[in-house]
Every structure is written in structure tokens, then in C-alpha cells.
Amino acid sequence: MLTLASKLKRDDGVRGPRASNPASDSTRRVSVRDKLLVKEVADLEANLPCTCKVNFPDPNKLHYFQLTVTPDEGYYQGGKFQFETEVPDAYNMV
């Protein structure tokens, strides 16, 4: 996660002031989403119970991750449940 945060900071420095063309606006929107996800994914991983694991198949794509839940008690004990989550581009904008 930290490498993505560093990459986003470097990309902002290289890009400089925001241009007025539409391509840079869509690129900027993705960067805002990824900046928010860096913080929120760190919070998620810090507060996740031991029966849950988060996996990022591509560490450069924080907007796509997998959650595996393996309950250790109750009716679903011994089960393994996998969820895939993809955060849309408009995350936290609409």
C-alpha cells in the first residue's frame, strides 16, 4: 500500500499543474479515488478480525480486492467465503 501512495505523490509532482484537457480530468479523478483508498484500505486492514483476510491480486489497483472470511465459530464454522470488490471510478464523488 505504501508503494502506491509514494507513486501517487510522484505522479502528482511530475504532472505539475492540472491541464484543462478532458483526459487529465479523468486521470485526476482516478487519482483522487486511489488517494482515498490508500487511507481507507490501511484502516480496513488494521481493524479486520483475524478470521478475515484481504488480498490485492494487483497491488497497483487498490480499487479491486478480494476478502476471504473463514468463521471460527457458529453455524458457518469451517466455511470459507470469498468476496470480490471493485470500487467504481466515481467513488466518493457522487
Side-chain angles (χ1 to χ4, degrees), residues 13-86:
V14 169
R15 203 177 10 229
R18 189 155 104 158
S20 61
N21 65 10
S24 69
D25 288 342
S26 65
T27 303
R28 183 72 174 164
R29 190 175 318 126
V30 171
S31 293
V32 169
R33 173 191 65 180
D34 287 346
K35 286 178 184 179
L36 289 169
L37 285 175
V38 166
K39 180 184 180 300
E40 292 177 2
V41 164
D43 290 344
L44 172 72
E45 288 181 328
N47 296 314
L48 219 62
C50 63
T51 58
C52 299
K53 303 282 185 233
V54 176
N55 177 39
F56 294 91
D58 183 352
N60 292 318
K61 294 182 180 178
L62 282 181
H63 63 276
Y64 175 75
F65 60 93
Q66 299 167 336
L67 173 70
T68 303
V69 180
T70 53
D72 59 359
E73 62 184 10
Y75 185 74
Y76 295 105
Q77 180 179 2
K80 184 175 182 180
F81 305 93
Q82 296 179 335
F83 303 92
E84 293 183 0
T85 302
E86 187 165 349

